[in-house]
């Protein structure tokens, strides 16, 4: 299972552990991913995502899942999030 946020595209970063003697060894910084269920108000359904805590705060700041998906570019979203975004656009066009 890849360590990438489904909503923001935030993934792992690479850096160094640096000792007191300034020896550098490779290390990986992983995002803090959580399994969450987010509710779509327009579709009246809930969806399960694997989201970083940073992404979750961003969704709440933008007023919920619907607003976040409509504002975010498609290249950052995962396949499941893109599917939900398409459903939102269709529901918005039908209304």
């Amino acid at each position: 299972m890849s360590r990438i946020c489904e909503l923001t595209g935030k993934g792992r970063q690479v850096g160094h552990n640096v000792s007191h003697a300034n020896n550098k060894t490779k290390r990986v910084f992983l995002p803090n991913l959580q399994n969450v269920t987010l509710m779509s108000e327009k579709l009246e359904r809930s969806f399960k995502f694997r989201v970083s805590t940073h992404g979750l705060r961003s969704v709440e700041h933008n007023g919920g899942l619907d607003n976040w998906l409509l504002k975010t570019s498609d290249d950052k979203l995962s396949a499941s999030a893109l599917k939900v975004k398409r459903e939102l656009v269709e529901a918005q066009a039908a209304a």
Side-chain angles (χ1 to χ4, degrees), residues 13-90:
Q13 293 183 326
V14 180
H16 289 100
N17 281 331
V18 181
S19 70
H20 185 68
N22 206 25
N23 298 330
K24 296 174 183 71
T25 56
K26 286 281 192 176
R27 66 156 295 175
V28 175
F29 297 92
L30 296 174
N32 183 8
L33 295 180
Q34 305 294 322
N35 293 318
V36 295
T37 303
L38 298 172
M39 183 72 182
S40 170
E41 295 173 1
K42 292 179 184 170
L43 298 176
E44 297 177 349
R45 287 178 46 205
S46 60
F47 299 94
K48 289 187 177 185
F49 291 110
R50 195 152 188 241
V51 184
S52 64
T53 52
H54 169 76
L56 194 56
R57 290 180 65 199
S58 298
V59 168
E60 293 299 321
H61 179 76
N62 282 296
L65 180 66
D66 297 343
N67 290 340
W68 171 260
L69 288 174
L70 293 174
K71 286 182 181 180
T72 307
S73 62
D74 292 351
D75 58 330
K76 287 186 178 181
L77 299 174
S78 68
S80 59
L82 274 174
K83 187 176 177 183
V84 175
K85 183 176 180 176
R86 281 190 215 105
E87 287 181 34
L88 270 172
V89 171
E90 289 173 6

